[in-house]
Amino acid sequence: ATPVEPQSKELVVSPADLSTAYTEYLQKGTPDVFAPGTATSAWRDTRRTTRRAGFSYQYVDQPLTGGTFGPLGLRTEDGGALVFFSSKHFERQVTAQGLKPEVNADVKALMTGEVTNSLTKERVSSQLVH
């Protein structure tokens, strides 16, 4: 395998800039360099259209660019690359008085304490792009 340098300018987005480009895409829709799919356009659509009376949803996305989470790119035979990269995502649910955020078994297993009117989930996500 031939590695791709993180700062390589030969690709649409350099590997070092992928996490930032991805988190900006999720928040703003630009840069529009990602193919439609469940982790791109569908995720944006779900965030934009999730509505429930008495609930407020907030999303924050952060790039992860260094150390263990730094990008890893491998050159492909067609001159492109496969690049692994990571990002961090927060989802906060806040409810009106008398309501509680839904807590499924997977979330409950990671919690201590009791949910009253807000719940913040933190995820680290790994992606592979071509």
Side-chain angles (χ1 to χ4, degrees):
T2 305
V4 176
E5 290 299 319
Q7 300 297 334
S8 175
K9 301 296 182 194
E10 300 171 341
L11 305 169
V12 174
V13 178
S14 71
D17 296 334
L18 267 171
S19 187
T20 300
Y22 181 65
T23 56
E24 287 178 0
Y25 170 79
L26 290 175
Q27 291 290 316
K28 304 173 193 170
T30 59
D32 191 8
V33 295
F34 298 96
T38 57
T40 54
S41 56
W43 201 2
R44 282 185 44 77
D45 288 343
T46 298
R47 288 173 166 197
R48 191 176 60 251
T49 60
T50 299
R51 301 282 183 267
R52 186 170 170 196
F55 283 72
S56 172
Y57 298 89
Q58 303 162 342
Y59 304 95
V60 174
D61 304 295
Q62 296 176 340
L64 293 174
T65 58
T68 303
F69 299 104
L72 173 64
L74 300 172
R75 185 69 59 195
T76 57
E77 289 179 358
D78 66 2
L82 285 175
V83 181
F84 298 88
F85 70 98
S86 300
S87 51
K88 185 183 281 191
H89 308 278
F90 298 89
E91 174 187 336
R92 182 175 170 95
Q93 300 174 22
V94 180
T95 62
Q97 186 174 358
L99 298 174
K100 284 186 175 182
E102 292 180 24
V103 179
N104 64 32
D106 292 338
V107 173
K108 183 105 175 130
L110 300 172
M111 290 179 43
T112 58
E114 193 66 33
V115 173
T116 54
N117 73 324
S118 69
L119 174 66
T120 303
K121 299 175 187 176
E122 177 182 348
R123 298 177 183 92
V124 173
S125 178
S126 298
Q127 292 85 16
L128 172 65
V129 295
H130 177 251

